[in-house]
Amino acid sequence: MRYLPLTEADRQAMLAKIGAASVDELFEDVPLSARRDKPIAGLPNHQPEYEVERALAALAAKNVSAGSCPFFIGAGAYRHHVPASVDHLLLRGEFLTSYTPYQPEVSQGTLQYLFEFQTQVARLTGMEIANASMYDGPTAAAEAVLMANRVTGRNRAVVAGHVHPHYRETIETMARTTEFMCEAGTPQPQGNEKLADQLDEETSCLVVQTPDLFGRLHDFTALAKACEEQGALLIVVVTEIVSLGLLKPPGAMGADIVVAEGQGLGNGLNFGGPYVGLFACKEKYIRQMPGRLCGETVDTEGKRGFVLTLSTREQHIRREKATSNICTNSGLCALGFTIHLSLLGEKGLTRLAELNHAKAVQLAERLASIPNCKVLNDTFFNEFTLQLPKPAAPLVDELAKRPILAGVPVSRFYPHDKSLANLLLVTATELTTEGDIDTFAKSLTEACR
Amino acid sequence: MTDKTTGAAVAAMHDNKALQIEEPLIFEQGAKGRSGVDLPAPRQHTARLGKLRREGKIGLPGLSEPQVVRHYTRLSQKNFGIDSAFYPLGSCTMKHNPRLNEKVARMPGFADLHPLQPASTIQGALEVIDRLAYWLKTLTGMPAVAMSPGAGAHGEFCGMAAIKAALAARGESRRKVLVPESAHGTNPATAAALGFTVETIPANKRGRVDLDILKSKLGPDVAALMLTNPNTCGLFEYDMLAIAEAVHQAGAYFYCDGANFNAIVGRVRPSDLGIDVMHINLHKTFSTPHGGGGPGAGPVVLAESLAPFVPLPYIVRDGKNLRLVEHVADAKDCKPFGRIKGFHGQMGMFTRALAYILSHGADGLWQVASDAVLNANYILASLKDVMSAPFDGPCMHEALFDDRFLKDTGVSTADVAKALIDRGFHPMTMYFPLVVHGAFLIEPTETESKETLDAFIGAMRDLAAEAKKGNAEFFKQAPRFTPRRRLDETRAARQPVLKWTGDVEDNAGEEPADEEPERGRRALG
Amino acid sequence: MPQVKYTKEHEWARVEGDVAICGISDYAQKALGDVVYVELPKVGKQVKQGDAIAVVESAKAASEVYAPLTGEVVAVNDVLNKEPGKVNSGAMGDGWFFKIKPAAPANDLMDESTYQNYIKGLHS
């Protein structure tokens, strides 16, 4: 088998050195009832590469890829072009096959890109410090709530109704299992939630999002002050990281913690994972942060270098007193993010964001002109909510047969709320073409007659 | 050049050593108006941004594509990877990462798929997850598996949350979790996060959980025992069946940390050991790449008693088709405890792991465990005369030594590790597990040749001899040949500097004259 | 010179007037390595002997610091927040952690020679 270097001669020589007659002897502590005396029956044996490739290609062929048809889905994962260089750099063995940089002398590659990543995340979000990434946006949000509980000594979290349901649900699961209170608003695509009124002296944090689930843009500056007055932390979620190329960052609004999904840069859609959670906060909370941190220092020759630092917050040292149980970050995805953002630079990211917005405006104007359809948003970045004259879910399934991937029906997240049944979340990015928009608009017009 | 924040020397170009090139931060190389990506100007439009357009700069540097490629290429050359050298980190399972996995994961039919696409357009993806789930259940003998946890610690959280939910369903509230002294830190951290109090069980003289002490601590207030098997000393817990019986008799659940599954995959059925739940690290046993620290994937296999208590979403079969159950109201046979991350799970790791499993097949996986255990025992047998092994008898897939052989030499475990780097090997895990002093935990994995093992053994024998000669200074100065010498971790912790704070020179405000506005229908002209 | 007494967990206490000055021993600071951070209790806190009331961290480890006697915390050494290294350079002196007003004298602490023997015993 191609991944196994030992020959039979090797095995015999090694057994001789060990003083065992066979490898079975080395399994002597395993109860007989649990041992298999030969490989599992009924499962295939080893295969050449091309057979494996063929089997998996057959499964891949059963899917409709986003690039093969008009595509308008967002809702927490966004289809942006990843430059070819990114993947080639990620695939370098020294990046792909390295481990957590616990031996910093031979991991300066990893450590330096993490330092660059932390700097990029802090600057994008307008915050003072950022960590070296988490699993994804929703788990980062849950960790942010736990941190707010620790910092304030309170245990009541409030989640706005406009927050992406995966974030809300992940926080709620955390609340149920780790025993704190979580109150979530109901989604109001056109209403004002009056979030400041929901704060009291028991509130540890308020979780909000911009652009929100429905694509609306918010300025949380006033809300940040209200939180501060109540001694609660404001946690701002960003699900479309490219939006920060064009919009006022949460840090400028006074956010205490910003969590985001970094998938939109350097990482493709990948059917939902692996993604990369971004976590940034005010410097005064540094010791309460979860996740890995990379810090600058010098070596014995006085040269600048980087190391993992403040590790005493983490599980491998603090054990049950750790700030989080997390071990892994999303290293390779963070690297993809860093490389993509380095390629874009200030000018490229700004231009990319402007392009996204321009396409979305074009799409919105076209769809708003369809009889019986209405764009609900006053503001948006690249995603907005379309109100149809009939339930969105069956329509999306119909269009999928063309195929047209028409966006996400809000009922996917809220199947029992009839008031949301006719709403469709629609996204355009720099990859959306005029032809796509035309095809989509024509099909939608037909379907909505 | 000096770093503006800390004043540290930032090497100028003449500090290069042939292919080892000093590389500044990307932020120190920016210039105005530069970008490595070509994008057309947006068409004229009326913005719908409200008053929320950004004012001021983000502060990102501008570089061209060649510069960015060179920058990250140079950074990569400062890293050790499995591709570079032997990387025997105990309990990390640093096995070869096949590139077939990468090819498969990047097939557009998988990579360019949005998680929220309608079910009819993603059947192949759901089938990948379903098939991987089938293999994991078959290999472990367990009837159910939760696929969505994002990594090992997340899997532990999922498994322990399932136990907590199962207890609640029984109308019980047990608040204690038992954990061996030798456990990985994620175990007590996870238990504590879920509101349990953690009590440690010491090891016996043979490095296994002390069965008598365990039995004395079991009672109606114990929710679960969290056990790693093989344990973090690389030893199989020979009392597994007795442990499982005692735990179950007390009405508690048996959590198995599957980090060391590589020792037994294909050769042992965990279900027959009496466990109720086990997380599997796909990035360990199933070769998905470590990527400098992540991402991972941590699916959790479950016994019948815990099978209903899964996270959302999970996959069900409806006739010929597969679909996702994403809401509690939709969950017919399960009592889900909620969603634990975004979307459906680490799909990119599923395709890779499935490619690996199909490549090895049943006979290959049998051989994986056999060779992993053989390699570790070969190292143990070849070094135990010059290093000090705390426990007698064979090990499983990893060999443990402590620092008694370094007594009175003035050389520490860390010093030996740094000297090993200069010899061209990545060090083993140091100072873990905590149950022995100055631990060296060596896990070769099955993807190492005998030649590599012999070279490593030779280097370790040399270093042991050098230490015993009393040449402590040799070790204190190591490593000598690495891109950086030993780094001041005290300084990094006392004065944390977590980002670069200078000014980039890039000015995004300039519109270069040569850009064309977008012309949507013009493709190849 | 007021007598210094020690606990098994390597804290020391030196009674001066009606207050006991407390810290961690020289042996402890050597074992820890460079101290990077100290978490001190709040002034006014009521503590029982053996309670974990402070934390001392090096780059690689974190250790609890236990109250050597029962009483009230009347002062903490704020200087350690800016200069944690004082724990290493002056463990028995200006690297003190907190001062406790004892509720009752603690008679079960080790004196200097007993403690030195205790440490020797730990190594064998």
Side-chain angles (χ1 to χ4, degrees):
Chain A
M1 199 281 161
R2 60 187 182 278
Y3 303 146
L4 300 175
L6 294 184
T7 65
E8 267 316 304
D10 289 334
R11 294 187 182 106
Q12 291 311 314
M14 292 162 74
L15 283 169
K17 174 75 186 180
I18 293 165
S22 70
V23 171
D24 288 340
E25 270 181 44
L26 303 173
F27 283 79
E28 66 189 15
D29 287 330
V30 181
L32 277 164
S33 56
R35 274 191 240 179
R36 292 194 171 99
D37 53 7
K38 51 185 192 299
I40 307 173
L43 284 177
N45 280 343
H46 69 280
Q47 298 182 70
E49 265 201 33
Y50 55 83
E51 290 294 353
V52 176
E53 219 181 296
R54 195 180 301 180
L56 281 155
L59 290 177
K62 283 176 154 189
N63 303 318
V64 176
S65 72
S68 67
C69 65
F71 175 84
F72 298 92
I73 303 179
Y78 298 91
R79 186 166 190 263
H80 294 289
H81 176 254
V82 179
S85 312
V86 174
D87 230 24
H88 283 275
L89 290 164
L90 289 187
L91 282 166
R92 290 187 69 87
E94 302 93 327
F95 284 139
L96 186 76
T97 71
S98 62
Y99 191 66
T100 309
Y102 290 130
Q103 298 286 354
E105 299 90 341
V106 287
S107 316
Q108 287 300 295
T110 298
L111 287 161
Q112 186 166 332
Y113 84 66
L114 286 178
F115 189 79
E116 293 174 353
F117 172 83
Q118 286 173 186
T119 308
Q120 288 169 330
V121 172
R123 290 186 175 206
L124 272 177
T125 57
M127 302 298 286
E128 288 168 339
I129 53 177
N131 74 13
S133 82
M134 315 206 73
Y135 304 147
D136 67 3
T139 54
E143 291 286 341
V145 171
L146 287 175
M147 178 172 147
N149 292 349
R150 281 195 298 276
V151 166
T152 61
R154 304 174 184 176
N155 65 354
R156 175 184 173 255
V158 176
V159 180
H162 67 230
V163 168
H164 190 292
H166 288 190
Y167 290 70
R168 172 182 52 74
E169 288 168 27
T170 304
I171 293 170
E172 285 174 334
T173 303
M174 190 65 88
R176 274 194 301 277
T177 53
T178 68
E179 296 167 35
F180 64 87
M181 287 181 287
C182 178
E183 286 160 33
T186 47
Q188 297 172 48
Q190 297 191 275
N192 176 357
E193 288 189 63
K194 297 198 174 36
L195 292 165
D197 295 346
Q198 298 184 42
L199 299 167
D200 66 18
E201 65 281 352
E202 297 297 309
T203 313
S204 65
C205 61
L206 177 56
V207 184
V208 294
Q209 180 178 323
T210 183
D212 69 16
L213 174 69
F214 302 103
R216 295 172 300 186
L217 306 181
H218 300 279
D219 190 338
F220 294 125
T221 308
L223 195 55
K225 288 203 182 64
C227 286
E228 197 184 8
E229 277 157 27
Q230 283 287 5
L233 267 51
L234 182 65
I235 299 172
V236 180
V237 171
V238 179
T239 62
E240 166 51 304
I241 195 66
V242 174
S243 69
L244 292 178
L246 197 57
L247 300 175
K248 181 177 182 178
M253 300 174 190
D256 292 291
I257 306 174
V258 179
V259 294
E261 178 50 67
Q263 168 272 329
L265 286 174
N267 293 276
L269 293 172
N270 282 306
F271 196 58
Y275 287 170
V276 52
L278 311 183
F279 190 108
C281 67
K282 290 182 174 167
E283 187 145 15
K284 61 182 176 178
Y285 301 132
I286 189 172
R287 287 185 166 277
Q288 290 303 324
M289 279 177 97
R292 295 198 181 128
L293 289 170
C294 174
E296 184 180 318
T297 185
V298 292
D299 78 349
T300 52
E301 290 173 353
K303 292 185 185 164
R304 178 179 69 187
F306 304 96
V307 290
L308 291 180
T309 191
L310 300 183
S311 317
T312 46
R313 299 159 304 117
E314 296 185 70
Q315 48 73 30
H316 58 293
I317 293 177
R318 262 340 239 287
R319 299 173 75 86
E320 58 263 35
K321 299 208 169 87
T323 54
S324 166
N325 76 330
I326 287 173
C327 193
T328 322
N329 68 342
S330 201
L332 211 56
C333 299
L335 177 58
F337 178 99
T338 301
I339 297 172
H340 192 176
L341 199 50
S342 297
L343 284 166
L344 284 167
E346 183 98 23
K347 175 178 149 215
L349 179 65
T350 310
R351 172 62 63 92
L352 178 65
E354 285 168 354
L355 254 182
N356 270 255
H357 185 61
K359 294 277 179 134
V361 167
Q362 184 186 356
L363 178 65
E365 285 169 359
R366 185 69 193 273
L367 296 183
S369 69
I370 296 175
N372 307 316
C373 290
K374 183 177 171 208
V375 169
L376 296 185
N377 301 51
D378 290 326
T379 60
F380 54 83
F381 169 62
N382 65 1
E383 183 165 28
F384 55 85
T385 306
L386 193 66
Q387 183 179 74
L388 304 173
K390 58 208 308 216
L395 193 145
V396 166
D397 286 337
E398 260 312 300
L399 289 177
K401 295 179 187 157
R402 307 274 174 110
I404 296 172
L405 294 170
V408 181
V410 177
S411 57
R412 174 89 186 242
F413 298 124
Y414 294 103
H416 305 296
D417 189 335
K418 297 269 187 301
S419 73
L420 304 172
N422 293 9
L423 300 184
L424 182 65
L425 302 175
V426 179
T427 304
T429 71
E430 75 281 6
L431 296 174
T432 311
T433 66
E434 300 219 356
D436 292 336
I437 294 177
D438 200 46
T439 307
F440 186 29
K442 288 195 171 114
S443 306
L444 209 51
T445 308
E446 263 304 308
C448 290
R449 258 190 240 290
Chain B
M1 191 160 114
T2 50
D3 182 300
K4 292 186 171 82
T5 312
T6 62
V10 178
M13 292 302 286
H14 65 270
D15 270 338
N16 298 340
K17 292 187 176 80
L19 280 173
Q20 274 297 337
I21 298 171
E22 286 293 334
E23 184 60 24
L25 293 168
I26 203 88
F27 289 89
E28 290 161 331
Q29 302 178 55
K32 283 184 188 181
R34 230 176 11 195
S35 173
V37 177
D38 286 321
L39 291 164
R43 59 151 59 188
Q44 294 285 7
H45 61 280
T46 309
R48 303 274 288 266
L49 301 175
K51 299 202 189 87
L52 285 165
R53 186 181 286 272
R54 176 185 280 274
E55 288 160 22
K57 301 279 175 290
I58 302 166
L60 298 171
L63 288 89
S64 63
E65 179 183 304
Q67 291 170 295
V68 173
V69 170
R70 201 169 272 173
H71 174 77
Y72 289 101
T73 300
R74 288 176 180 170
L75 290 190
S76 77
Q77 288 165 335
K78 300 177 197 313
N79 262 13
F80 252 51
I82 299 169
D83 284 0
S84 331
F86 189 45
Y87 213 125
L89 282 176
S91 280
C92 296
T93 312
M94 303 296 289
K95 66 171 74 183
H96 171 70
N97 302 137
R99 290 314 192 279
L100 173 64
N101 298 358
E102 299 306 311
K103 188 172 182 185
V104 160
R106 286 167 169 78
M107 291 176 174
F110 297 133
D112 197 17
L113 215 61
H114 194 289
L116 296 175
Q117 287 180 214
S120 63
T121 65
I122 53 163
Q123 287 297 303
L126 296 179
E127 223 178 302
V128 163
I129 305 177
D130 197 51
R131 285 213 198 161
L132 177 62
Y134 174 72
W135 271 93
L136 295 177
K137 287 185 287 187
T138 308
L139 283 169
T140 58
M142 305 287 273
V145 62
M147 295 300 286
S148 61
H154 209 210
E156 291 176 44
F157 183 87
C158 175
M160 293 304 290
I163 287 173
K164 197 168 172 180
L167 286 168
R170 266 165 39 182
E172 293 185 54
S173 159
R174 296 169 172 235
R175 302 303 287 196
K176 229 191 259 186
V177 166
L178 304 178
V179 164
E181 264 183 328
S182 56
H184 190 271
T186 49
N187 290 176
T190 301
L194 288 166
F196 295 108
T197 50
V198 176
E199 227 174 277
T200 23
I201 317 276
N204 62 23
K205 286 201 177 55
R206 295 196 57 201
R208 276 82 170 178
V209 154
D210 191 313
L211 182 59
D212 291 324
I213 297 184
L214 169 65
K215 282 183 175 166
S216 74
K217 294 205 186 233
L218 280 167
D221 57 344
V222 173
L225 166 69
M226 292 179 86
L227 192 73
T228 309
N229 190 28
N231 67 25
T232 59
C233 301
L235 305 167
F236 194 89
E237 291 281 356
Y238 44 58
D239 283 327
M240 270 307 262
L241 297 180
I243 292 173
E245 201 187 320
V247 168
H248 291 139
Q249 257 188 6
Y253 288 96
F254 194 173
Y255 183 97
C256 184
D257 181 324
N260 290 331
F261 192 45
N262 205 49
I264 57 176
V265 62
R267 287 192 69 128
V268 177
R269 261 185 319 266
S271 60
D272 289 338
L273 297 172
I275 62 163
D276 297 310
V277 51
M278 181 172 91
H279 79 267
I280 298 170
N281 304 65
L282 295 186
H283 46 292
K284 295 187 181 187
T285 315
F286 296 101
S287 86
T288 72
H290 295 272
V300 178
V301 289
L302 303 147
E304 281 302 341
S305 57
L306 292 174
F309 306 103
V310 288
L312 291 167
Y314 56 89
I315 294 177
V316 295
R317 198 167 272 282
D318 251 339
K320 268 206 281 182
N321 292 327
L322 293 166
R323 66 180 177 86
L324 288 159
V325 172
E326 296 179 299
H327 301 282
V328 172
D330 216 2
K332 297 283 181 324
D333 303 317
C334 293
K335 299 183 173 60
F337 61 81
R339 171 179 287 282
I340 58 173
K341 80 182 291 292
F343 304 113
H344 324 317
Q346 307 282 67
M347 180 66 181
M349 295 5 245
F350 299 154
T351 45
R352 289 173 170 90
L354 186 59
Y356 176 77
I357 287 173
L358 292 176
S359 294
H360 265 297
D363 61 333
L365 291 172
W366 167 278
Q367 202 60 53
V368 164
S370 310
D371 285 356
V373 170
L374 181 62
N375 280 359
N377 275 283
Y378 182 62
I379 287 180
L380 180 63
S382 304
L383 288 175
K384 65 183 184 197
D385 60 322
V386 295
M387 294 176 69
S388 42
F391 305 111
D392 292 327
C395 57
M396 297 295 291
H397 66 313
E398 52 194 4
L400 178 65
F401 297 95
D402 59 29
D403 63 0
R404 281 173 299 152
F405 75 101
L406 295 170
K407 189 168 151 70
D408 298 326
T409 60
V411 177
S412 69
T413 299
D415 294 332
V416 172
K418 301 302 182 190
L420 188 59
I421 291 174
D422 279 339
R423 297 288 296 249
F425 300 96
H426 192 284
M428 63 291 282
T429 296
M430 320 182 288
Y431 301 109
F432 179 81
L434 301 169
V435 292
V436 303
H437 202 269
F440 295 83
L441 189 62
I442 304 171
E443 181 184 356
T445 84
E446 73 285 0
T447 59
E448 297 299 333
S449 66
K450 182 169 175 298
E451 293 89 318
T452 300
L453 300 182
D454 286 334
F456 170 74
I457 288 163
M460 288 305 296
R461 293 187 73 88
D462 284 351
L463 291 176
E466 204 59 41
K468 286 171 190 164
K469 272 194 220 150
N471 194 355
E473 195 52 26
F474 169 77
F475 288 88
K476 299 297 179 198
Q477 292 304 315
R480 289 175 178 76
F481 304 123
T482 45
R484 285 294 178 266
R485 307 288 297 279
R486 291 205 204 190
L487 289 141
D488 189 343
E489 305 201 12
T490 299
R491 172 175 167 154
R494 281 187 185 162
Q495 304 144 18
V497 175
L498 304 181
K499 63 178 185 184
W500 189 77
T501 52
D503 267 315
V504 291
E505 289 196 301
D506 189 19
N507 180 358
E510 291 177 3
E511 276 307 316
D514 57 343
E515 297 284 359
E516 290 193 321
E518 177 215 313
R519 284 171 208 185
R521 286 188 189 85
R522 179 192 297 187
L524 295 169
Chain C
M1 257 301 283
Q3 249 220 333
V4 178
K5 297 282 183 76
Y6 296 85
T7 70
K8 284 214 170 81
E9 303 296 334
H10 311 287
E11 292 91 15
W12 57 264
R14 190 174 68 238
V15 176
E16 280 176 11
D18 60 349
V19 154
I21 310 176
C22 311
I24 67 169
S25 70
D26 203 50
Y27 171 83
Q29 70 81 9
K30 276 208 194 81
L32 261 176
D34 290 334
V35 173
V36 304
Y37 183 73
V38 167
E39 213 175 274
L40 296 169
K42 284 202 167 49
V43 172
K45 187 179 168 76
Q46 299 295 334
V47 301
K48 279 206 319 287
Q49 187 186 45
D51 281 352
I53 65 170
V55 180
V56 59
E57 292 182 17
S58 66
K60 295 292 200 204
S63 286
E64 311 279 12
V65 178
Y66 302 95
L69 20 70
T70 303
E72 181 185 323
V73 175
V74 295
V76 296
N77 192 357
D78 285 314
V79 171
L80 296 184
N81 290 325
K82 288 254 162 54
E83 295 176 69
K86 279 206 190 308
V87 176
N88 298 110
S89 58
M92 306 300 301
D94 63 354
W96 63 274
F97 276 55
F98 43 78
K99 295 184 185 173
I100 292 180
K101 184 165 169 176
N107 298 321
D108 50 352
L109 301 178
M110 294 180 264
D111 64 16
E112 185 73 47
S113 54
T114 314
Y115 179 63
Q116 293 302 333
N117 284 333
Y118 169 67
I119 301 176
K120 282 208 193 76
L122 290 175
H123 267 298
S124 56

